[in-house]
C-alpha cells in the first residue's frame, strides 16, 4: 500500500493557496533526519507547517521529490504510520511557542535546550520516608541553587548521556567538574 500522489498534491495545494508564506512541508519517514530539540526550535519559528504521514509502505516518491521541504524521523524504528511521529513533533514544537507553557523560561531550561539533560527536581514535603531534599535547595541562596542545578545537570548528562557532552558548550567550571568525575571514575 503506497499513497498515490494526486490527493496529497491536491491537499497541499489547497492548504497553501490561501497563504502568502511558503510553509515547511514535513514528511514523517524512517529515512529522515533524526528529530532533535534543535530541530523543534527551528520549526517553532515557522509560520506554517504541513505534515505528511505515510502509512504501511509509504508514499509515491514524487511527493518526496516535489512537495517536501523536510524529512523527519523520530528514531531508528518503523511504525505502521507517520501519525504518531507527527504528534510527537507537533507537541515538541508547540510547547516552544510563546504562552503555551505559561512560563517563558520553561523551554529554555529543559533537557537538550542547553545541550545537557535537566537537573533533578524536588517538591514538598522537605522529607519523605527519610529521603530529604538537598539542603542547598531550601537555603534561599539563589546563587548556590543555580550552581547546584548547573552541576547536577552536567552530572546527569555525564552519567546518562555522555555523548551529548561532545557538542555541549561547556564553561571552564563545568570542564573542571568533568575532569574531577573522570578522575573519580578511574579510581
Amino acid at each position: 500500500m503506497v499513497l498515490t500522489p494526486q490527493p496529497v498534491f491536491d491537499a497541499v495545494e489547497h492548504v497553501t493557496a490561501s497563504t502568502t508564506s511558503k510553509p515547511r512541508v514535513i514528511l514523517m519517514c524512517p529515512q529522515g533526519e533524526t528529530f532533535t530539540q534543535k530541530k523543534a526550535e527551528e520549526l517553532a519559528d515557522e509560520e506554517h507547517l504541513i505534515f505528511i504521514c505515510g502509512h504501511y509502505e509509504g508514499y509515491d516518491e514524487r511527493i518526496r521529490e516535489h512537495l517536501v521541504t523536510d524529512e523527519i524521523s523520530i528514531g531508528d524504528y518503523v511504525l505502521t504510520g507517520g501519525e504518531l511521529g507527527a504528534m510527537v513533533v507537533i507537541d515538541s514544537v508547540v510547547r516552544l511557542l510563546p504562552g503555551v507553557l505559561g512560563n517563558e523560561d520553561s523551554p529554555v531550561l529543559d533537557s537538550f535546550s542547553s545541550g545537557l539533560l535537566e537537573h533533578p527536581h524536588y517538591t514538598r514535603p522537605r522529607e519523605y520516608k527519610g529521603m530529604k531534599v538537598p539542603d542547598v535547595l531550601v537555603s534561599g541562596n539563589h546563587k548556590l541553587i543555580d550552581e547546584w542545578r548547573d552541576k547536577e545537570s552536567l552530572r546527569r548528562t555525564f552519567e546518562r548521556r555522555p555523548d551529548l557532552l561532545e557538542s555541549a558548550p561547556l564553561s571552564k567550571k563545568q570542564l573542571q567538574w568533568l575532569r574531577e568525575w573522570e578522575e573519580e571514575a578511574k579510581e
Side-chain angles (χ1 to χ4, degrees), residues 35 49 51 83 85-96:
F35 187 64
L49 301 174
F51 289 85
E83 301 84 358
M87 290 191 312
V88 167
V89 172
I90 290 166
D91 185 71
S92 182
V93 170
V94 166
R95 67 185 308 282
L96 297 172

Side-chain angles (χ1 to χ4, degrees), residues 2 29 38 45 49 51 57 73 82 85 130 139 144 156 168:
V2 176
C29 67
K38 182 177 180 181
D45 288 335
L49 301 174
F51 289 85
E57 281 301 313
S73 168
S139 70
L144 290 178
R156 184 164 277 186

Side-chain angles (χ1 to χ4, degrees), residues 1-68:
M1 300 259 315
V2 176
L3 292 176
T4 186
Q6 179 263 322
V8 177
F9 272 79
D10 288 352
V12 171
E13 288 167 6
H14 177 76
V15 170
T16 59
S18 61
T19 182
T20 56
S21 64
K22 184 165 173 52
R24 299 275 285 270
V25 180
I26 300 165
L27 183 68
M28 300 303 301
C29 67
Q31 302 92 358
E33 167 189 354
T34 302
F35 187 64
T36 63
Q37 184 67 22
K38 182 177 180 181
K39 187 69 166 186
E41 291 165 1
E42 176 187 324
L43 294 175
D45 288 335
E46 295 293 328
E47 189 173 335
H48 295 105
L49 301 174
I50 296 173
F51 289 85
I52 299 175
C53 303
H55 211 73
Y56 301 117
E57 281 301 313
Y59 36 82
D60 185 287
E61 188 66 16
R62 292 168 286 190
I63 295 168
R64 179 197 315 258
E65 292 173 349
H66 300 285
L67 285 180
V68 172

Side-chain angles (χ1 to χ4, degrees), residues 116-119 148-159 165 168 170 173-178 181:
L116 302 176
L117 299 178
E118 195 170 5
H119 58 80
W148 180 90
R149 287 177 174 162
D150 185 38
K151 188 173 186 178
E152 292 306 310
S153 176
L154 183 65
R155 183 189 315 273
R156 184 164 277 186
T157 306
F158 174 72
E159 292 172 350
L165 297 173
L170 300 177
K173 185 69 172 169
Q174 289 172 319
L175 289 170
Q176 178 186 342
W177 290 331
L178 279 177
W181 297 331

